[in-house]
Every structure is written in C-alpha cells, then in structure tokens.
Amino acid sequence: DQKKHAENFANLYPDDDDIRTVAKSAVEVMKKIDDATSPAKTEAMSHTKIHRQVKTFLAEYKTLESEYSKLTDAKTEYEMYKKKVDDLEKAKKQDEEKILRNASKFEEVKTTYENQLEAVISRQKAFYGKRKEVFRASFVSFWLAQQTYESLIGAECATVLQYAKQHEKAMLELDVGSLKSEE
C-alpha cells in the first residue's frame, strides 16, 4: 500500500519542484523496502519462521472443522435409528425381527457417533490447549516483522523524513481556506 501510494503521489503530482523530487525519492525508497521485505528475502527471518507455526495451527483448525460434517452425519443417522426403534417399539403391531434388526443397527451407529464425538472433543481440547503459545507466536511474529520493516524505513527514508520534518511546522499552521491561487 505504501509503495502504491508513493507511486500514485509521484505520478499524479502536477508540478516539477521539490515535492516531485522528494516524491520520486520516496518511490525509490518504497521499492527498496518492498524488495527487502519480499517473501524470498524474508524466508529465513525469525518472524517468517515463527509465522509458519501460526499457519500450521490454522491448518489444524481447518482439519478439525472438516470433521464436523462427518460428526453431524453420524448424529443424524444415530437420531434417525433411535426414533425408528422407538417408533417400532411403540407400534401396536410389533415386528420383533424388525425391532431387533433396527436395534442392532441403532447400537452400531450409536457407537460410531459416540466414538466420533469423543475423538472430535479430544482434538478440540488439544487444539484449544495450544492457543496461548500460538497467540504468543502470532504476536511475536508481528512485532518482529514490524521491527524489520521499521529498521528498513529508518535506514532508507532519511531524505524523505527530513523533508517531512522540515515542513512539519508550516503544514501544522496550514489553512487551506486562506490559500491564494498561484495563477
């Protein structure tokens, strides 16, 4: 975003003066920073390595999330057989063979559902148990990346920042409504 902003400003500024000169300098600075912070250049940096672990954690969530539909299907089948057995047992004319067959199937799907539920809950607990360290990793990764970026800005932006500081007081006193046209 900053590189794009610098480019837009330099390209759209209409006059050939000190502002255009410093704006073009800002574009070059942003290109250097953009290049220095490209994925290829940051691959071995600490913040990138730490961030990979955060991505791994998020991938674990996707895997866990994908198990919910299977669990829902197992629960639906469990509830269907439970209702079917209840209805067969409450029927006026009972068919023992049918009740036994469906009761057997109900026990089978009940076991499947309970096992899946237990496995999902176990994985959820394991996933949740990692949250503190993963949030810490995310926080540390972010601030290490910020430090890298800020050190590049400090090193590369001296001319641009000097220009900004030089004009800061005048710009604080600027009143656009009282400006006169230069034409």
Side-chain angles (χ1 to χ4, degrees):
D1 285 347
Q2 291 162 326
K3 178 183 163 200
K4 186 97 172 140
H5 176 74
E7 288 171 345
N8 286 341
F9 187 90
N11 291 333
L12 296 173
Y13 184 73
D15 299 318
D16 192 15
D17 57 12
D18 64 326
I19 297 173
R20 175 173 292 264
T21 302
V22 78
K24 285 183 177 182
S25 173
V27 170
E28 292 309 311
V29 166
M30 294 285 78
K31 283 180 182 176
K32 285 181 184 177
I33 291 171
D34 197 45
D35 180 56
T37 58
S38 71
K41 300 264 174 90
T42 61
E43 191 63 30
M45 292 182 170
S46 295
H47 70 276
T48 304
K49 290 179 181 179
I50 294 167
H51 189 66
R52 275 191 219 111
Q53 294 305 309
V54 175
K55 286 181 176 180
T56 299
F57 178 76
L58 295 174
E60 285 180 22
Y61 175 77
K62 288 290 186 192
T63 301
L64 180 60
E65 186 180 41
S66 72
E67 294 178 31
Y68 295 152
S69 63
K70 294 176 208 163
L71 184 61
T72 300
D73 292 346
K75 183 179 182 187
T76 300
E77 189 174 25
Y78 160 80
E79 289 172 346
M80 180 194 73
Y81 275 101
K82 182 176 183 350
K83 182 177 180 341
K84 190 172 187 177
V85 169
D86 286 347
D87 289 348
L88 287 170
E89 288 176 343
K90 291 176 187 174
K92 289 182 182 178
K93 185 178 176 191
Q94 293 188 354
D95 181 343
E96 282 303 314
E97 185 182 320
K98 200 173 190 180
I99 292 173
L100 288 174
R101 188 175 64 244
N102 282 282
S104 173
K105 185 65 177 172
F106 168 71
E107 288 302 321
E108 183 183 312
V109 297
K110 178 182 175 187
T111 301
T112 300
Y113 170 64
E114 288 172 346
N115 289 342
Q116 285 182 0
L117 180 61
E118 185 179 319
V120 167
I121 290 171
S122 176
R123 285 191 276 287
Q124 285 174 326
K125 287 178 180 178
F127 179 81
Y128 187 73
K130 298 175 183 181
R131 76 193 180 287
K132 281 186 180 182
E133 288 306 310
V134 173
F135 275 88
R136 185 185 330 272
S138 180
F139 184 85
V140 168
S141 174
F142 173 80
W143 286 105
L144 289 175
Q146 286 301 111
Q147 179 186 30
T148 299
Y149 190 74
E150 286 181 25
S151 69
L152 288 168
I153 287 176
E156 295 292 337
C157 289
T159 304
V160 177
L161 292 173
Q162 181 183 357
Y163 182 88
K165 280 307 227 180
Q166 179 183 349
H167 295 280
E168 178 181 20
K169 185 177 180 189
M171 295 302 101
L172 285 170
E173 295 169 1
L174 178 66
D175 177 8
V176 173
S178 67
L179 290 176
K180 304 290 183 224
S181 174
E182 291 182 12
E183 293 178 34

